[in-house]
Amino acid sequence: MTANRILLQHKYANVIAAFAKRQHIGLREAMDVFYKSYTYQDMRVGVSDMHCRSDEYLAEELTLEKNNQT
C-alpha cells in the first residue's frame, strides 16, 4: 500500500522528532540517521505498511537499527 505523499512526509517528520527526543540529539542529526536508514527505505516503498505504525514504534525501530550498526 502506498501512502499519500504529503502524509508520508508528515510521518517522516514525526518519526525524526521522536527519534531525536529519544536519543537526546538535534533534529539535523536525527534526520541524517533517518534518511540513511533501512527503516526509511521500508517506509518509502511501503514494506509491511511501515508507515501505518506509530511514531514511537518507528523511532524504536530506528534506535535498534542504529545500535546494531555500531
Side-chain angles (χ1 to χ4, degrees):
M1 177 176 144
T2 38
N4 177 290
R5 193 176 76 196
I6 294 170
L7 293 177
L8 202 51
Q9 292 293 324
H10 186 49
K11 184 70 167 183
Y12 297 158
N14 289 343
V15 172
I16 290 166
F19 178 70
K21 183 176 179 183
R22 176 184 290 265
Q23 295 292 308
H24 306 288
I25 60 175
L27 290 174
R28 187 175 298 237
E29 184 179 349
M31 191 181 330
D32 187 51
V33 171
F34 177 75
Y35 282 112
K36 292 178 180 176
S37 72
Y38 291 113
T39 302
Y40 164 69
Q41 295 298 323
D42 289 347
M43 289 176 68
R44 188 175 59 83
V45 296
V47 171
S48 300
D49 290 336
M50 288 288 282
H51 60 278
C52 296
R53 306 203 186 257
S54 74
D55 300 338
E56 287 300 320
Y57 175 88
L58 292 167
E60 175 65 19
E61 284 294 309
L62 195 56
T63 300
L64 291 172
E65 182 180 338
K66 181 179 180 263
N67 290 340
N68 286 333
Q69 289 179 355
T70 58

